[in-house]
Amino acid sequence: MQIRRYYEGPKGKSEKLSSIVDALGSRRETLWDSTIPEMIGAYFRDLELVLEQSHRLLASTGRVMMVVGDSRYANVRIEVAAILAELAKSMGLGFSHVTTREVRQMRASAQQGGSFQLAESIVEITL
């Protein structure tokens, strides 16, 4: 957090992600770090890079399975599995079948009440 850097956003398209980044951008003054919207975009760019390398190594009958957890900043929920599904389909790698399955509920941070509000999901992606 002490080092400021450029955060590259995802190359693929996700309406959910665009909406979340816009919502967080409008709440910058309430965030514990003003670059969180850019960090969120960079996180999804990192996930795209994982998918690109997974695709490179994937057998034609193989599949990619990822476990991801939702997050929340300034009461804006980041539905990671849903965004990842949108990005995977839009990347042009041939990922046509994407399913998500919630496997458990995680607690929000103590600052956000500590209740079970965030999903942890399995994302399954096939060619």
Side-chain angles (χ1 to χ4, degrees):
M1 299 308 302
Q2 288 105 8
I3 298 173
R4 296 290 177 210
R5 67 176 184 91
Y6 170 73
Y7 294 105
E8 181 181 7
K11 307 278 188 230
K13 302 291 181 216
S14 168
E15 288 184 26
K16 283 185 180 294
L17 180 58
S18 294
S19 151
I20 286 166
V21 169
D22 289 347
L24 289 172
S26 71
R27 295 179 173 115
R28 244 179 237 283
E29 68 282 349
T30 67
L31 297 170
W32 57 271
D33 187 287
S34 64
T35 63
I36 285 177
E38 291 77 21
M39 284 187 229
I40 299 298
Y43 170 75
F44 285 101
R45 177 61 188 141
D46 289 347
L47 288 179
E48 282 183 333
L49 294 171
V50 170
L51 288 177
E52 288 171 6
Q53 293 304 310
S54 297
H55 180 267
R56 184 178 65 81
L57 300 170
L58 192 63
S60 61
T61 57
R63 60 186 166 181
V64 177
M65 297 185 79
M66 301 171 79
V67 177
V68 295
D70 291 352
S71 190
R72 189 173 62 195
Y73 296 93
N75 283 328
V76 176
R77 185 172 175 180
I78 301 161
E79 298 177 58
V80 176
I83 295 167
L84 184 57
E86 287 181 347
L87 290 173
K89 290 177 184 176
S90 76
M91 290 176 65
L93 296 174
F95 290 134
S96 57
H97 185 71
V98 181
T99 58
T100 63
R101 181 171 64 254
E102 185 177 317
V103 292
R104 73 178 181 126
Q105 285 284 311
M106 301 180 301
R107 287 187 185 272
S109 68
Q111 298 95 321
Q112 297 182 22
S115 61
F116 290 98
Q117 301 172 348
L118 303 172
E120 183 175 69
S121 302
I122 296 174
V123 180
E124 182 177 348
I125 305 168
T126 57
L127 297 172

